[in-house]
Amino acid sequence: MTEKRGKLVVISGPSGAGKTSVCRVLKTDPDVEFSVSATTRPMREGEQDGIDYHFLTREAFEQRVAEDQFLEYAEYNGNLYGTPRWPMDAALERGKTFLVEIEVDGTRQLRRRGVRGLYVFIEPPSIAELRSRLLRRGTNGAEEIDQRVRIAEDEIRAAREQVDGAPLYDRFVENSDLEATIGHVKELLGS
Ligand code: 5GP
């Protein structure tokens, strides 16, 4: 008997909305496999190559684009980010839930290609709260925080757009309380 095919789950949300914390918990489920993206952005303290991202030079990234190695890729805040193609099929064939954490432009590409899955957008209760979370996190300088808040406003707007007459995201989850949000997303994954 063949195993039941797994499910793709796309998680997006502005920087500081809490999606990385949600994904960190979801990753501990043995039935969930997490996509490790490639990126040209510099490694942050505490990050590990091959675990948090595959850190590439722009040249190496562009080479992979030319070889059609990405399921989708996008530029975010001056850096390139992309989802390697093959791990998703391998995971779905083994009946796993395959989790990708990507921004809105990449999601649009997946929708346009008709990639089936559950598309979830995690958002902050307000822009003011988002800014204070980014400040508390302390991983970005003041200028980058302004930039990320601006991108967040655009992403929250863009997330409501339609793609080919259908909604871009299936679900919107407001993260006011992390534990509750994790519970909510887990429920969505199980459904
Ligand atoms: P960060 O630099 O904070 O790790 O990520 C910046 C943004 O890039 C986040 O919104 C994150 O979800 C998004 N991102 C990470 N990996 C990918 C990817 O493979 N493709 C796309 N389109 N976005 C990604």
Side-chain angles (χ1 to χ4, degrees):
M1 206 177 86
T2 47
E3 233 178 327
K4 192 169 161 270
R5 202 170 153 80
K7 175 161 75 175
L8 168 72
V9 177
V10 175
I11 307 254
S12 301
S15 180
K19 66 181 183 307
T20 307
S21 309
V22 172
C23 289
R24 201 175 295 134
V25 175
L26 299 178
K27 276 187 216 176
T28 61
D29 181 335
D31 287 328
V32 174
E33 278 186 23
F34 195 74
S35 170
V36 179
S37 295
T39 185
T40 62
R41 89 145 156 71
M43 201 187 286
R44 289 187 197 133
E45 211 180 303
E47 286 183 330
Q48 285 176 275
D49 190 25
I51 293 180
D52 298 289
Y53 281 104
H54 300 290
F55 292 94
L56 301 179
T57 61
R58 188 166 269 261
E59 196 186 6
F61 194 104
E62 282 167 355
Q63 176 69 30
R64 291 185 189 203
V65 171
E67 291 165 359
D68 199 24
Q69 286 194 26
F70 294 120
L71 197 59
E72 60 71 38
Y73 73 96
E75 183 142 4
Y76 173 93
N77 206 16
N79 295 303
L80 295 167
Y81 295 80
T83 306
R85 194 180 280 285
W86 67 266
M88 178 173 95
D89 288 335
L92 297 186
E93 257 163 44
R94 277 185 282 114
K96 302 283 184 182
T97 293
F98 191 68
L99 199 66
V100 296
E101 185 203 315
I102 59 175
E103 48 69 81
V104 175
D105 191 25
T107 307
R108 217 179 272 127
Q109 293 171 42
L110 296 184
R111 280 293 202 201
R112 288 221 170 97
R113 290 188 187 177
V115 177
R116 287 169 58 183
L118 176 70
Y119 291 65
V120 181
F121 190 83
I122 298 178
E123 50 193 357
S126 67
I127 289 293
E129 172 60 21
L130 181 86
R131 182 182 287 279
S132 61
R133 282 185 198 170
L134 288 172
L135 280 167
R136 275 201 301 273
R137 192 163 79 176
T139 39
N140 313 105
E143 207 174 298
E144 202 184 345
I145 288 177
D146 282 347
Q147 181 72 3
R148 283 186 179 239
V149 167
R150 230 170 298 135
I151 296 172
E153 288 173 319
D154 286 346
E155 286 196 297
I156 290 168
R157 212 172 304 122
R160 260 98 188 157
E161 282 171 13
Q162 305 257 312
V163 170
D164 301 331
L168 186 50
Y169 289 95
D170 300 304
R171 299 298 175 103
F172 289 85
V173 178
E174 185 185 298
N175 178 22
S176 327
D177 172 79
L178 188 60
E179 289 311 311
T181 302
I182 290 167
H184 191 162
V185 176
K186 274 187 179 167
E187 255 172 51
L188 292 178
L189 258 62
S191 61

